[in-house]
Amino acid sequence: MSDSPLPLDAAEETRARIDTTKPHSARFWNYFVGGKDNYEVDREIGDHIKEIFPGLVDVALTSRQFLGRAVAYLAGEQGIRQFLDVGTGLPTADNTHEVAQRVAPDARIVYVDNDPIVLAHANALLTSTPEGRTAYLDADLYDPEAVLRAASGTLDFSEPIALMILNTLGHVADHDQARDLVGRLVAGLPSGSHLVISDSTATSEGMIAASEAYNASGAVPYYVRSIGEIAGFFDGLDLVDPGVVQVTEWRPDDADGPGAAEVAVDAYCGVGRKA
Ligand SMILES: C[S@@+](CC[C@H](N)C(=O)[O-])C[C@H]1O[C@@H](n2cnc3c(N)ncnc32)[C@H](O)[C@@H]1O
């Protein structure tokens, strides 16, 4: 079962909200993972950044591979049946519900994003199995309680939920505020829930230069954090092995291709369990 995001007459209004004069992170990221749902303005800054820091392509691709491994681990080894994916991005290959429902067809997934272009493409995220369910919320990370309230229309908050916030927290410039938002989301989840985070890190001059170039482009800025700051999001949770590591090092899988685990990237991740 799936929940339609938009009455048809609202689709046009949503498209009118899409700003094609400035780069947008969902479209920029879509360009980096090889998608087609981006505009000239996104490709221009994307190409510039590929020139100054080609490593961002690896960050984007390996972060999506991490998503796949983390969701398969949670659904397969931890028996998680519910996922709340905040900062979903544009649909691509192996979205959260596709990975989860391959392992557990009855899995329920709620996607959350505040970009109108993601809303406009959300039908591709709603291709649920008959036993499971997917929903899309046009909602804002800055209002965690509203996100949780709306998600409770699809998810059962008496059962564990995996909260996924991948490559999105950099939009929250102030680290204390980012921690507060994550903490408020986690506070609303039951025991046995998990927090999954990945993000770009200020671990090379190239990544810092890429971040500066992106932020100078007129896009909503994206700040890259230290490894310690990424680890801090998991305070109070039990970190799943191997802890906070580069995205390629988290439970690597041969399915990602030979040598995938050895690729060095400026992106770190972790999975933590709420006791
Ligand atoms: C770089 S993309 C990451 C997409 C996906 N999670 C991934 O890892 O491939 C960041 C996403 O966060 C969304 N986003 C940014 N600020 C947000 C906010 N305040 N509330 C909800 N989503 C937000 C953007 O629209 C974009 O789709």
Side-chain angles (χ1 to χ4, degrees):
M1 177 177 175
S2 62
D3 297 340
S4 176
L6 273 185
L8 284 178
D9 56 2
E12 211 166 301
E13 190 202 321
T14 299
R15 289 198 173 272
R17 280 169 53 208
I18 296 170
D19 180 356
T20 58
T21 65
K22 295 186 191 109
H24 270 229
S25 88
R27 301 178 333 217
F28 172 81
W29 211 234
N30 172 265
Y31 183 54
F32 268 80
V33 299
K36 301 260 177 287
D37 300 317
N38 44 71
Y39 294 92
E40 188 55 35
V41 69
D42 308 305
R43 293 188 287 274
E44 261 173 32
I45 182 67
D47 288 339
H48 175 56
I49 288 179
K50 279 182 192 177
E51 263 173 42
I52 58 176
F53 182 53
L56 196 63
V57 177
D58 285 337
V59 166
L61 295 174
T62 59
S63 295
R64 290 300 300 189
Q65 290 173 341
F66 164 68
L67 177 151
R69 299 195 306 279
V71 171
Y73 163 81
L74 290 167
E77 295 189 36
Q78 296 301 325
I80 299 288
R81 292 292 175 266
Q82 308 191 96
F83 294 82
L84 178 58
D85 185 337
V86 178
T88 304
L90 280 157
T92 177
D94 281 342
N95 302 294
T96 298
H97 74 285
E98 290 157 330
V99 181
Q101 292 183 343
R102 268 205 298 273
V103 180
D106 59 339
R108 293 179 170 213
I109 293 87
V110 172
Y111 291 110
V112 180
D113 207 289
N114 71 343
D115 191 319
I117 197 166
V118 182
L119 176 61
H121 286 261
N123 275 328
L125 296 167
L126 300 177
T127 55
S128 178
T129 56
E131 309 91 311
R133 195 164 165 188
T134 59
Y136 180 84
L137 303 177
D138 182 21
D140 200 321
L141 167 65
Y142 283 90
D143 192 351
E145 289 74 24
V147 168
L148 294 170
R149 220 172 19 251
S152 69
T154 302
L155 306 179
D156 173 359
F157 276 70
S158 67
E159 294 291 330
I161 293 169
L163 167 64
M164 330 237 322
I165 319 180
L166 305 190
N167 306 294
T168 295
L169 285 167
H171 280 299
V172 184
D174 184 272
H175 187 60
D176 290 339
Q177 184 176 23
R179 281 189 60 144
D180 175 64
L181 295 172
V182 173
R184 284 157 61 193
L185 284 169
V186 171
L189 304 180
S191 162
S193 291
H194 288 71
L195 171 67
V196 184
I197 285 177
S198 68
D199 221 337
S200 300
T201 44
T203 39
S204 75
E205 284 178 13
M207 177 57 95
I208 292 166
S211 160
E212 286 170 356
Y214 182 80
N215 293 347
S217 71
V220 175
Y222 202 93
Y223 298 94
V224 287
R225 299 201 143 82
S226 67
I227 302 167
E229 286 174 326
I230 303 288
F233 288 123
F234 296 97
D235 284 355
L237 302 177
D238 300 326
L239 262 181
V240 169
D241 277 349
V244 173
V245 293
Q246 281 183 28
V247 292
T248 46
E249 295 172 336
W250 198 90
R251 296 176 179 254
D253 185 330
D254 289 344
D256 291 333
E262 277 78 54
V263 177
V265 285
D266 295 300
Y268 278 70
C269 67
V271 177
R273 184 182 184 280
K274 184 172 175 176

